[in-house]
Amino acid sequence: MLGYVRALNAIDEAMRVAIPSLEQLADVLDLARSRRISRSGHIGTYSYTVHGAGCRFVSGNGTEVDVDFEADGSGIFDLWRLRWYGLSLPEPLDVTDEDLRSAVRSLQPLLDEVRPGWFSVAS
């Protein structure tokens, strides 16, 4: 759980270094929609694929971080995204939904449930 949050923060930092005009990670969606960047490609050390309301980032070691974005640009994620993150780790971690829910509950108030089953890092 904390690994996902750390990975998301590392991606945010790497994207801001690679694209200095980026104010927040969610701006990748606007850049792709306006065709200033491709909907998929490489930025810095990550490959990315823009989809619907979010983006999937893959690091050089194959770790996947998929995140959706709210209208205000905040990143949100659900248990499915957390599970795929765990399975993509160099040493895969397969946990149950129950274990994920328990981990999320144990991290409140670090995490906010923004709508049923969807979470964001508290600001």
Side-chain angles (χ1 to χ4, degrees):
M1 186 77 213
L2 288 175
Y4 177 92
V5 172
R6 282 192 295 272
L8 190 56
N9 287 336
I11 290 165
D12 183 43
E13 186 177 315
M15 293 297 120
R16 289 176 194 243
V17 168
I19 307 173
S21 64
L22 207 67
E23 292 182 25
Q24 59 185 353
L25 190 56
D27 292 343
V28 168
L29 298 181
D30 292 332
L31 291 173
R33 289 175 182 150
S34 65
R35 297 191 174 141
R36 287 180 277 170
I37 64 171
S38 172
R39 292 188 65 80
S40 63
H42 294 272
I43 298 177
T45 60
Y46 294 91
S47 65
Y48 71 93
T49 304
V50 170
H51 59 73
C55 193
R56 181 175 67 101
F57 298 93
V58 181
S59 70
N61 70 1
T63 301
E64 297 181 21
V65 174
D66 194 320
V67 61
D68 277 6
F69 298 102
E70 292 278 76
D72 67 0
S74 60
I76 61 171
F77 48 91
D78 59 1
L79 299 181
W80 181 85
R81 284 164 177 75
L82 293 173
R83 168 165 286 125
W84 277 109
Y85 166 78
L87 291 171
S88 73
L89 292 170
E91 292 185 29
L93 183 61
D94 190 10
V95 294
T96 66
D97 280 353
E98 185 177 316
D99 289 339
L100 286 171
R101 278 189 200 92
S102 178
V104 167
R105 279 193 299 270
S106 74
L107 290 173
Q108 292 174 333
L110 173 64
L111 300 178
D112 288 331
E113 189 166 7
V114 295
R115 60 181 184 253
W118 286 85
F119 308 92
S120 72
V121 178
S123 36

